[in-house]
């Protein structure tokens, strides 16, 4: 996919796509395997053979995506796109009732969502069951992309299934760290679409949990923090969350955002060296800690120094 991501560094999605196409055009005979649910990948006529993957687990009548969603205009006629299925953001089974532009035929499909939790996802690909030990619909897209490439290269479904189930979490990607009995799930966030997917993911937790957000604005994070205003923090108000905390260099920004969402904060801590002590005092066993890139690095250094994890990115 291509979503707004650290705009002060990468620019608009169309600029990024043009740069990708410049590389693609150097290999006109190479097969492109791409997300059919993302409209931008269906906007250019290329000489390359193209294979599409996407979600086909349900079909609804004609409906519209939320008005503030990026990429909702038909690239052919500029009318508003409609949907029969939408996974999140602008992704899904889109079509234009004005000019006939629509999602291309999919070769590889998510055909069923079986069970979603914060720590795992069970689903079917082309009618066969698979499971990954990580939450979030966005990670099912990652699995589907890997599946599509594997099948194209002749990897058997049983081999793919085994690879999915033996995979491990990596640095900042929903890794779970034990801090004196607290199960701290550390999640890297950096753009509004990813943030909203993470919020949706943690809200599938059936147990009470504490919530923290660590916001930095260094170059590696993206200096512009306005993307937090597109996060659906309002959805957290109805959840079983007894403790909210904000921190990081731009803690005032995220504190203001959560306050405007109607959330009452229990603590703010700009000094990330003190966050671990706050975690120990939280009233729940489960803690979700969302953080931008350099905040993840700073927190992991503290965790390593106190022997909760190994150093570096291990």
């Amino acid at each position: 996919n291509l979503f707004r991501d650290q705009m002060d560094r990468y620019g608009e999605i169309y600029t990024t796509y043009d740069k990708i196409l410049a590389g693609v055009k150097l290999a006109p005979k190479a097969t492109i395997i791409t997300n059919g649910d993302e409209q931008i990948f269906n906007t250019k006529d290329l000489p390359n053979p193209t294979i599409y993957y996407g979600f086909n687990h349900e079909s609804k009548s004609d409906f519209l995506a939320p008005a503030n969603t990026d990429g909702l205009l038909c690239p052919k006629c500029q009318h508003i796109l409609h949907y029969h299925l939408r996974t999140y953001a602008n992704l899904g089974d889109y079509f234009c009732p004005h000019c006939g532009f629509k999602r291309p035929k999919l070769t590889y499909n998510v055909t069923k969502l079986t069970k979603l939790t914060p720590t795992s996802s069970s689903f079917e690909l082309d009618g066969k069951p698979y499971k990954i030990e990580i939450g979030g619909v966005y990670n099912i897209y990652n699995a589907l992309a890997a599946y599509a490439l594997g099948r194209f290269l002749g990897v058997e479904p049983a081999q793919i299934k085994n690879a999915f189930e033996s995979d491990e979490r990596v640095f900042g990607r929903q890794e779970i760290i034990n801090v004196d009995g607290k199960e701290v799930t550390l999640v890297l966030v950096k753009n509004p679409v990813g943030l909203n997917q993470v919020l949706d993911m943690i809200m599938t937790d059936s147990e009470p949990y504490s919530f923290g957000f660590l916001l930095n604005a260094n170059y590696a994070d993206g200096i512009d923090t306005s993307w937090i205003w597109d996060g659906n923090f309002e959805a957290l108000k109805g959840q079983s969350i007894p403790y909210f905390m904000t921190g990081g260099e731009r803690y005032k920004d995220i504190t203001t955002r959560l306050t405007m969402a109607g959330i009452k904060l229990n603590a703010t801590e700009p000094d990330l060296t003190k966050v671990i002590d706050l975690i120990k005092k939280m009233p729940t066993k489960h803690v979700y800690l969302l953080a931008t890139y350099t905040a993840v690095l700073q927190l992991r250094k503290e965790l390593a120094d106190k022997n909760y994890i190994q150093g570096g990115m291990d």
Side-chain angles (χ1 to χ4, degrees):
N1 56 56
L2 285 177
F3 297 132
R4 284 190 295 130
D5 188 0
Q6 300 168 310
M7 296 296 289
D8 49 330
R9 296 178 59 201
Y10 295 117
E12 281 288 352
I13 59 175
Y14 304 102
T15 303
T16 304
Y17 186 46
D18 284 342
K19 291 180 178 179
I20 293 172
L21 290 180
V24 168
K25 289 176 181 178
L26 297 176
K29 295 182 180 180
T31 298
I32 297 172
I33 302 175
T34 189
N35 187 356
D37 293 350
E38 168 67 280
Q39 302 93 314
I40 197 171
F41 298 146
N42 189 25
T43 58
K44 304 286 187 179
D45 293 326
L46 300 173
N48 307 67
T50 303
I51 294 172
Y52 294 98
Y53 59 82
F55 275 60
N56 248 340
H57 65 292
E58 64 182 15
S59 183
K60 299 179 181 179
S61 58
D62 182 336
F63 68 95
L64 297 171
N68 65 342
T69 305
D70 284 340
L72 286 186
L73 293 183
C74 174
K76 301 298 184 182
C77 70
Q78 300 303 302
H79 284 73
I80 295 175
L81 290 171
H82 292 222
Y83 288 82
H84 291 305
L85 176 155
R86 189 176 74 93
T87 52
Y88 63 88
N90 64 326
L91 303 181
D93 185 6
Y94 58 85
F95 67 99
C96 177
H98 185 262
C99 73
F101 176 73
K102 63 180 181 179
R103 183 176 73 172
K105 183 179 179 181
L106 305 179
T107 301
Y108 303 108
N109 306 257
V110 171
T111 48
K112 184 178 180 180
L113 294 180
T114 308
K115 185 178 182 180
L116 305 179
T117 78
T119 57
S120 67
S121 302
S122 298
F123 49 90
E124 291 185 3
L125 302 179
D126 296 332
K128 293 181 170 57
Y130 292 85
K131 183 178 182 181
I132 53 176
E133 298 300 326
I134 192 168
V137 172
Y138 61 102
N139 282 310
I140 298 178
Y141 266 114
N142 292 337
L144 175 60
Y147 169 85
L149 176 60
R151 296 297 293 130
F152 175 73
L153 295 175
V155 182
E156 292 299 320
Q159 294 175 284
I160 297 174
K161 179 180 175 67
N162 180 65
F164 284 171
E165 294 179 356
S166 62
D167 196 18
E168 296 181 357
R169 293 182 181 85
V170 296
F171 159 85
R173 305 289 183 171
Q174 297 184 33
E175 59 180 329
I176 299 176
I177 302 165
N178 188 301
V179 179
D180 292 356
K182 305 290 186 184
E183 294 181 359
V184 181
T185 302
L186 182 59
V187 188
L188 173 69
V189 291
K190 57 183 179 174
N191 62 49
V193 172
L195 169 60
N196 283 332
Q197 277 292 286
V198 169
L199 294 177
D200 286 347
M201 180 269 297
I202 67 176
M203 287 189 292
T204 64
D205 198 330
S206 59
E207 300 294 327
Y209 54 87
S210 299
F211 178 91
F213 198 117
L214 307 178
L215 181 66
N216 282 359
N218 298 305
Y219 182 72
D221 305 295
I223 298 169
D224 181 359
T225 63
S226 62
W227 58 273
I228 63 174
W229 289 92
D230 289 329
N232 185 25
F233 293 105
E234 285 77 5
L236 297 176
K237 290 190 296 182
Q239 301 299 304
S240 182
I241 309 175
Y243 194 98
F244 286 92
M245 180 268 292
T246 59
E249 298 163 4
R250 299 292 287 272
Y251 75 97
K252 291 182 179 179
D253 291 1
I254 188 60
T255 296
T256 300
R257 176 66 188 96
L258 290 179
T259 301
M260 293 297 291
I263 292 169
K264 184 178 180 181
L265 291 168
N266 300 90
T268 59
E269 182 51 75
D271 185 354
L272 294 189
T273 65
K274 299 178 181 179
V275 167
I276 295 175
D277 289 334
L278 275 178
I279 291 172
K280 294 177 183 179
K281 298 175 183 177
M282 290 180 179
T284 59
K285 180 180 180 181
H286 295 160
V287 177
Y288 290 97
L289 206 54
L290 281 53
T292 55
Y293 186 73
T294 65
V296 169
L297 292 178
Q298 292 169 15
L299 182 64
R300 291 186 97 259
K301 181 180 183 304
E302 290 301 314
L303 289 165
D305 289 346
K306 291 179 171 60
N307 297 315
Y308 290 109
I309 61 171
Q310 295 181 4
M313 295 194 180
D314 298 330

